[in-house]
Amino acid sequence: MDVTQRFILWVRTCCGSCRTSSSDSELKSDKKDIVVIRKTNPVEAPNRPLPPLPLKDIYVALYDYTARTVDDLSVRAGDRLVALNKSGEWWFVRAISGISANKEGFVPANYVAQEESIYAEPWYFPDTKRADAEKMLLSEGNETGAFLIRQCESQKGDLSLSVLDNGKVKHYKVRKLDNGRCYVSIAINFTTLKELVQYYSKNNYGLCVQLMEPCKKLQAPQTHGLSYNTVDHWEISRSSIQLLRKLGAGQFGEVYEGLWNNTTPVAVKTLKCGTMDANDFLREAQIMKKLRHPKLIQLYAVCSLDEPIYIITELMKNGSLLEYLQKDKGKELCFSDQVEMAAQIAAGMAYLEQQNYIHRDLAARNVLVGENNICKVADFGLARVFKLDNENVYEAKEGTKFPVKWTAPEAINANKFSIKSDIWSFGILLYEIITFGQMPYPTMTNYQVIQKLSTGYRMPCPANCPDILYNIMLDCWKENEVDRPTFETLQWKLEDYFELDLNSYADTNRIP
Ligand code: ATP
């Protein structure tokens, strides 16, 4: 596109909302603190003078990103970028190296890190739990010597070095001296982590092996919304969605694999006409859109102006957890995988708990599975807006209308839904996980379940389920809601199921 055709707007760097405004004329001019926002394809920077680049704002792409809209910029991990506008979750940048060198456009803010900062180091995995570090290091593509540095779960502020050594992962504490220098062995300390890594990349003194390649990153994180302009403007045009293939159907409609803007794979939930009041749904969806957590399915956008309403969410490769457990993939799971999946679900739910939000329909069918057994909670909040056939609660057939077997007694009897009724459902979900997707109370009707529960009956321990896990289920099914655990507690109990043993850190005393 010709430079003269470009539409250059001067906007305040501090105002995120103006950047996402749909109307260019709404953008305000302010000469003080300025960046260039160009409403065209990412193109080469023009020859005429642009404002000087703020060189302290040089960033490095941490992951590959392929442009989804004409305003985006494609980058590859390692490309250098200058941040021109850092407001919000999508930053306007100019690439100064790599595949888009000299072009400008938007990139997801969580895909970049400041150059020279620790966050830009390919071996720094700050928010990685020990179990995840092990999973990542043991995954394909890593060889002996692969390593990462992460924050230590057991002691906040401390760091750990995790290293792959012949199919086993060893963990070392990275400690700090009072003067700020860091060390793995007290015998030798370093000014920065980078120096420490450089040292152990040349010598393995005391470590099990010499550090080689940084651990491969399994996948790029979710972007916040589909693009910079759907973050606030998330009613999107139906014509931007292509339905490719039906993935499944629930009571309230069908789910398709779709493509947004011809670029981005998404899941599209199409709701049967009349299943909900559009205003109720939009009110709820406003809240749902703000709930962001790596273990929750992200709601990207909606098409709600006409029926059928479309709900656009992230796409999960392996579909529902229920099907995953019941089919071949489930047979490959071992007990530790099952516990780890349950821990992920508890983590997503602990976030909802912290946000004072209730799911109301937690079950394996409403958890979705991605690659590497990644689990995310889906459909939170939707139960509140669906028009449930409450008259038929007790007569409802299994799996239809009202999920009696997953619902806490006080929710069935007195419509008393709370995070504690979600805890009850989580107990049932644990049963589904451990039995590879068996129907709970397999020999009983919904009516019998309600009758029996009121007498204190609880499902017996499933075959091959250790007592510790069964006791967690029983805790979730306590009659009195206040006696049930929190999701926060369930999360750490499950994450630490195989015991986080501080003594399991490797010994470095052999360092000379
Ligand atoms: P109900 O809505 O009646 O509780 P359900 O949760 O199984 O039942 P849907 O949410 O409509 O129904 O989903 C139907 C199926 O579509 C799921 O079982 C799953 O296989 C697939 N599916 C739903 N959402 C996604 C997604 N985001 N990514 C991939 N597959 C999905």
Side-chain angles (χ1 to χ4, degrees):
M1 184 171 286
D2 190 85
V3 170
T4 52
Q5 285 177 283
R6 281 189 213 128
F7 192 171
I8 297 178
L9 294 159
W10 302 90
V11 295
R12 303 163 75 124
T13 47
C14 59
C15 176
S17 58
C18 54
R19 199 193 58 187
T20 52
S21 165
S22 57
S23 158
D24 298 329
S25 58
E26 287 168 33
L27 298 172
K28 299 257 164 45
S29 157
D30 182 332
K31 296 250 161 63
K32 268 191 215 150
D33 208 2
I34 50 179
V35 291
V36 180
I37 300 283
R38 186 174 295 121
K39 194 174 177 292
T40 61
N41 292 345
V43 286
E44 288 212 358
N47 289 333
R48 70 194 149 64
L50 281 172
L53 292 175
L55 286 174
K56 68 175 172 30
D57 269 346
I58 296 192
Y59 285 77
V60 179
L62 300 175
Y63 309 92
D64 294 354
Y65 175 72
T66 306
R68 296 171 179 175
T69 73
V70 291
D71 298 326
D72 287 359
L73 196 66
S74 292
V75 291
R76 294 284 166 266
D79 289 358
R80 298 174 76 225
L81 316 159
V82 179
L84 299 174
N85 186 339
K86 293 194 288 183
S87 48
E89 290 145 340
W90 290 77
W91 290 0
F92 192 74
V93 301
R94 185 186 309 164
I96 51 175
S97 75
I99 57 163
S100 296
N102 286 330
K103 291 177 185 166
E104 292 175 356
F106 288 95
V107 293
N110 56 338
Y111 276 49
V112 301
Q114 190 147 31
E115 192 174 50
E116 301 293 334
S117 75
I118 186 169
Y119 294 95
E121 296 295 349
W123 38 260
Y124 191 56
F125 288 52
D127 300 319
T128 304
K129 293 184 189 305
R130 179 189 172 103
D132 292 333
E134 291 183 357
K135 194 165 147 182
M136 282 194 256
L137 283 163
L138 289 168
S139 66
E140 227 177 291
N142 289 312
E143 288 177 7
T144 287
F147 70 101
L148 59 88
I149 292 186
R150 59 187 171 83
Q151 271 150 13
C152 178
E153 277 170 88
S154 51
Q155 274 147 314
K156 275 225 151 66
D158 281 5
L159 296 167
S160 301
L161 167 67
S162 303
V163 191
L164 180 64
D165 176 17
N166 288 313
K168 285 213 163 122
V169 177
K170 308 228 165 95
H171 305 272
Y172 298 86
K173 291 243 181 230
V174 180
R175 298 181 195 275
K176 266 202 167 157
L177 294 170
D178 287 345
N179 62 9
R181 291 175 69 85
C182 54
Y183 65 92
V184 173
S185 157
I186 192 71
I188 177 153
N189 56 62
F190 307 89
T191 319
T192 62
L193 276 180
K194 196 172 174 169
E195 280 178 15
L196 182 147
V197 167
Q198 278 166 351
Y199 179 83
Y200 288 108
S201 299
K202 293 197 190 101
N203 322 278
N204 75 323
Y205 297 132
L207 290 191
C208 52
V209 287
Q210 192 174 322
L211 302 184
M212 305 297 280
E213 291 291 312
C215 178
K216 300 263 177 308
K217 290 193 166 133
L218 282 185
Q219 63 192 110
Q222 277 300 308
T223 58
H224 287 175
L226 284 167
S227 74
Y228 79 97
N229 60 1
T230 61
V231 172
D232 296 329
H233 297 247
W234 57 295
E235 176 72 46
I236 58 168
S237 147
R238 205 168 281 255
S239 62
S240 67
I241 293 289
Q242 232 176 304
L243 301 183
L244 299 180
R245 164 175 91 94
K246 189 165 151 183
L247 294 172
Q251 285 184 69
F252 304 106
E254 293 171 339
V255 179
Y256 292 84
E257 179 180 339
L259 199 61
W260 174 73
N261 219 18
N262 280 324
T263 55
T264 314
V266 289
V268 184
K269 195 165 191 150
T270 66
L271 299 181
K272 278 184 208 156
C273 300
T275 46
M276 65 173 73
D277 180 286
N279 289 332
D280 287 350
F281 165 68
L282 284 177
R283 210 173 307 118
E284 197 61 30
Q286 286 288 0
I287 306 170
M288 285 154 58
K289 191 141 188 290
K290 294 205 177 86
L291 298 170
R292 294 235 185 96
H293 186 273
K295 301 300 174 198
L296 293 186
I297 288 289
Q298 192 186 156
L299 174 64
Y300 280 147
V302 292
C303 302
S304 66
L305 300 181
D306 304 299
E307 289 206 289
I309 290 177
Y310 282 3
I311 302 177
I312 322 292
T313 66
E314 67 179 287
L315 181 68
M316 295 291 278
K317 194 174 161 243
N318 287 313
S320 87
L321 174 60
L322 183 61
E323 292 157 33
Y324 192 74
L325 290 165
Q326 289 171 341
K327 292 189 180 155
D328 294 348
K329 290 265 173 57
K331 298 199 180 79
E332 290 167 16
L333 297 175
C334 59
F335 180 64
S336 63
D337 294 327
Q338 290 169 300
V339 171
E340 202 226 313
M341 292 169 98
Q344 294 182 54
I345 300 162
M349 289 304 299
Y351 169 80
L352 288 187
E353 176 177 76
Q354 195 191 32
Q355 302 293 313
N356 293 318
Y357 198 81
I358 307 169
H359 190 296
R360 290 174 175 240
D361 193 9
L362 185 59
R365 65 183 170 276
N366 285 331
V367 172
L368 295 166
V369 187
E371 278 181 276
N372 299 305
N373 296 336
I374 286 180
C375 289
K376 298 193 183 194
V377 178
D379 287 351
F380 40 94
L382 282 184
R384 193 201 303 266
V385 279
F386 282 130
K387 293 174 182 165
L388 288 173
D389 187 356
N390 275 323
E391 282 168 20
N392 286 333
V393 165
Y394 299 113
E395 269 72 46
K397 291 206 186 84
E398 275 176 8
T400 63
K401 303 291 181 199
F402 196 87
V404 170
K405 292 184 173 181
W406 283 259
T407 308
E410 73 277 5
I412 294 178
N413 299 327
N415 206 23
K416 213 173 144 200
F417 285 91
S418 67
I419 196 70
K420 293 298 183 191
S421 55
D422 281 346
I423 293 276
W424 179 288
S425 311
F426 183 81
I428 306 289
L429 173 50
L430 281 180
Y431 173 92
E432 292 183 279
I433 292 177
I434 211 70
T435 61
F436 295 96
Q438 258 183 38
M439 173 61 81
Y441 313 92
T443 58
M444 293 162 75
T445 64
N446 286 339
Y447 183 75
Q448 286 170 331
V449 170
I450 293 165
Q451 296 295 305
K452 289 275 272 182
L453 286 178
S454 65
T455 66
Y457 171 85
R458 298 294 183 262
M459 265 192 285
C461 184
N464 304 326
C465 175
D467 283 349
I468 302 179
L469 195 69
Y470 181 56
N471 286 335
I472 297 180
M473 289 182 210
L474 290 178
D475 282 349
C476 296
W477 302 331
K478 291 253 169 80
E479 182 65 30
N480 192 345
E481 301 108 273
V482 294
D483 295 335
R484 296 176 202 156
T486 60
F487 278 111
E488 190 194 0
T489 303
L490 289 171
Q491 182 187 347
W492 71 251
K493 274 197 177 175
L494 291 163
E495 280 173 356
D496 296 358
Y497 192 91
F498 299 102
E499 230 177 312
L500 182 66
D501 177 4
L502 287 182
N503 297 325
S504 64
Y505 282 89
D507 182 16
T508 53
N509 288 340
R510 285 174 294 126
I511 290 174

